[in-house]
Amino acid sequence: MTNKEQLVKDLTAKDEQKAFHAAQEIINNADVEAFQLLAQKSDFLFDFVKNNVNKRLLKAVNENNYRNLFKFLNVYSPDFEDTIVSSFAKYANEDLTDEILELFEKGTDNEKAYCAKYFSYIPDTIAADILTNYAFSDNEAISFNSAKALGAMKIKEAYDKAIELLNSDDEFTVLKAVKFLIAYEDKSAVKALLKAMEKSSMSENIAGEIPYLQSLLELLEDDITSALTCIDNILSGLGEILPLNQIFYFEMFDVLSYLISYNAQNKNPQASVVLLKALSKFEMLNENDEYTFDEDKNTKQEISEIYEILKKQQEYFWNAQKKLAVLEISEDNTSEGRIISALRVISEYNLTTAEENIKTLLNSQNEILICEAVSALKQINKLDNISKESILSKVTDENKKAIINSMF
């Protein structure tokens, strides 16, 4: 084991005296190599270990050695950036701020990420223009930290630009705008984010960001329809697009507990679709190790507990949800996303009572809904006596025609 490896091992160990001595060595000697090794190992450290490391490094920084931290700025680590930046902020003065601003303009991308974060601690508007330039950068660390600093400064022009970009035809531009607004931390953006989510082909990605700005439980109280659409998209993305450990931040156990209680009283068809989707999703996650193989014990336990609270509901409760879910396919529901979600739940649970409701979609002007309706009828074995030629005559998209043709 090299000296650097021993230093990092000591820094992450339980022995507080030895660990603090290692922290002092790294800071006092500006040991970039040891810090780089720590950053590389950080993905494999438990959160409580990282928290301990941050406390030790923070304690080791003082007015005589804090400038040594400049040497570390070429090694970007989101796990340790707050320790570095808050240390600079503690000893901030006009000269230090000017020096960091100059580095922000001329430094490497890693240095710029730290510099942007500095201005969220020290919201000096002297940096507003350069922060705005970098707020929609392709480098996620720089763009996120720039947006966070602009939010701390309450720079409205940058916020307005992000709101405007939500209407872009380019989905990746929309996603940049979403991430900006989450980092900017102004709850007034939630309505615009929900609207962008509903029309986006990356709706799961956007839905997974919204709870970082407003909790799903708050959203359920404010706007039940939009909240349910957001939860529906999160359920679609969990385990594929969205990491499973995010269920803690989404407060998924509390959210689904709320919906169970809510729908026992309110009998909301959209909520029924979400609950049935959740039951199916968490049954799959709980019973198939391939989905949770790399997850930690706490995440696996939480998934199990969420599944338990869903599974323990009485059969009559779930029968009621199935009857209600069918009602999501109605003339009153004009949301393509909600209808598609309902069709997929109907298919999964083989809800044959939905046959007539689904058939009304075959007269739709929306080719996506026609295609989804045919698929659902196929899944519930109700495609007999449907005229393939009649349906195909309403569809112009060749790919959709081929899909529909393959189902007969």
Side-chain angles (χ1 to χ4, degrees):
M1 183 180 292
T2 67
N3 181 45
K4 310 300 181 186
E5 287 172 331
Q6 185 63 53
L7 260 182
V8 172
K9 185 179 178 182
D10 289 348
L11 180 61
T12 57
K14 289 181 181 179
D15 186 327
E16 197 58 44
Q17 188 175 350
K18 188 184 285 188
F20 180 56
H21 179 70
Q24 287 179 308
E25 274 202 54
I26 291 170
I27 302 297
N28 289 335
N29 298 326
D31 195 331
V32 177
E33 197 178 328
F35 183 71
Q36 187 162 26
L37 190 59
L38 174 66
Q40 288 167 355
K41 289 181 178 293
S42 114
D43 283 347
F44 306 101
L45 299 176
F46 291 115
D47 285 345
F48 77 90
V49 175
K50 285 189 266 197
N51 289 338
N52 286 339
V53 168
N54 274 306
K55 287 175 187 173
R56 292 156 183 168
L57 290 171
L58 206 54
K59 188 179 173 185
V61 178
N62 56 52
E63 62 182 341
N64 298 314
N65 65 17
Y66 78 90
R67 292 192 58 83
N68 288 352
L69 297 173
F70 274 104
K71 301 275 181 66
F72 298 150
L73 299 190
N74 249 323
V75 181
Y76 180 70
S77 171
D79 289 320
F80 306 112
E81 71 171 342
D82 280 297
T83 291
I84 290 175
V85 174
S86 66
S87 297
F88 281 135
K90 183 178 179 180
Y91 300 103
N93 55 40
E94 192 174 331
D95 289 342
L96 180 64
T97 297
D98 287 344
E99 190 175 348
I100 288 175
L101 180 64
E102 185 178 357
L103 190 61
F104 195 12
E105 292 174 327
K106 300 176 181 176
T108 64
D109 280 358
N110 284 346
E111 289 170 331
K112 287 175 182 177
Y114 284 109
C115 293
K117 189 63 175 274
Y118 173 83
F119 288 105
S120 67
Y121 278 81
I122 307 293
D124 190 328
T125 55
I126 192 173
D129 287 345
I130 188 168
L131 287 165
T132 302
N133 288 338
Y134 283 121
F136 303 97
S137 159
D138 287 333
N139 183 304
E140 284 194 21
I142 298 174
S143 60
F144 185 88
N145 289 347
S146 295
K148 197 168 184 66
L150 289 164
M153 295 174 193
K154 300 286 185 282
I155 304 295
K156 191 72 164 56
E157 293 82 0
Y159 173 88
D160 291 341
K161 181 181 177 183
I163 292 290
E164 187 182 329
L165 289 176
L166 289 177
N167 296 312
S168 170
D169 292 330
D170 180 75
E171 292 287 0
F172 291 100
T173 298
V174 172
L175 208 53
K176 278 186 185 179
V178 169
K179 288 180 182 294
F180 173 95
L181 290 165
I182 300 304
Y184 190 92
E185 293 184 338
D186 184 337
K187 279 190 179 181
S188 63
V190 169
K191 284 187 179 178
L193 288 166
L194 289 165
K195 188 176 176 183
M197 174 194 71
E198 291 194 27
K199 64 182 183 180
S200 174
S201 63
M202 301 174 79
S203 52
E204 296 94 341
N205 302 72
I206 298 174
E209 297 286 347
I210 290 171
Y212 289 89
L213 195 54
Q214 181 176 19
S215 79
L216 292 174
L217 288 167
E218 280 183 28
L219 196 55
L220 282 164
E221 295 286 353
D222 290 351
D223 182 351
I224 187 75
T225 300
S226 295
L228 287 168
T229 302
C230 186
I231 296 163
D232 193 321
N233 281 307
I234 284 171
L235 289 169
S236 294
L238 265 184
E240 295 169 25
I241 295 167
L242 306 174
L244 289 178
N245 59 17
Q246 282 191 282
I247 55 176
F248 293 106
Y249 207 92
F250 298 149
E251 301 174 293
M252 193 57 72
F253 182 93
D254 293 336
V255 165
L256 293 173
S257 299
Y258 175 99
L259 286 181
I260 289 166
S261 176
Y262 165 85
N263 229 35
Q265 304 288 326
N266 293 276
K267 299 176 171 46
N268 180 328
Q270 187 188 8
S272 295
V273 168
V274 170
L275 283 166
L276 287 164
K277 190 169 185 173
L279 177 64
S280 169
K281 169 68 80 167
F282 282 97
E283 179 179 24
M284 178 186 74
L285 294 175
N286 190 64
E287 297 187 354
N288 293 282
D289 287 345
E290 64 264 31
Y291 290 102
T292 57
F293 182 77
D294 292 328
E295 300 299 330
D296 63 30
K297 184 175 69 175
N298 291 337
T299 303
K300 290 178 182 178
Q301 180 66 26
E302 186 75 359
I303 287 169
S304 177
E305 288 179 11
I306 291 171
Y307 178 51
E308 281 302 313
I309 197 174
L310 292 164
K311 190 177 71 168
K312 79 175 185 182
Q313 301 309 308
Q314 299 293 325
E315 188 177 352
Y316 71 80
F317 174 84
W318 289 114
N319 286 338
Q321 304 317 305
K322 290 172 185 176
K323 287 178 183 175
L324 284 166
V326 171
L327 302 180
E328 265 290 82
I329 315 296
S330 71
E331 291 179 3
D332 295 334
N333 187 358
T334 56
S335 167
E336 179 186 296
R338 281 174 57 186
I339 292 170
I340 291 171
S341 191
L343 287 170
R344 291 178 181 174
V345 164
I346 285 164
S347 299
E348 182 158 7
Y349 288 90
N350 194 32
L351 305 183
T352 55
T353 54
E355 178 183 0
E356 295 307 317
N357 297 56
I358 298 171
K359 284 179 178 176
T360 63
L361 297 174
L362 299 177
N363 299 317
S364 170
Q365 301 299 309
N366 185 323
E367 294 188 8
I368 294 171
L369 289 184
I370 292 172
C371 196
E372 290 283 346
V374 171
S375 176
L377 288 168
K378 173 77 171 177
Q379 291 290 320
I380 65 172
N381 295 313
K382 295 294 181 182
L383 203 51
D384 296 341
N385 303 321
I386 301 286
S387 167
K388 178 174 76 170
E389 288 71 24
S390 173
I391 294 170
L392 289 172
S393 69
K394 300 170 188 172
V395 178
T396 57
D397 183 275
E398 291 301 322
N399 288 331
K400 290 183 180 63
K401 278 189 172 185
I403 291 168
I404 290 167
N405 211 28
S406 70
M407 292 185 204
F408 283 90

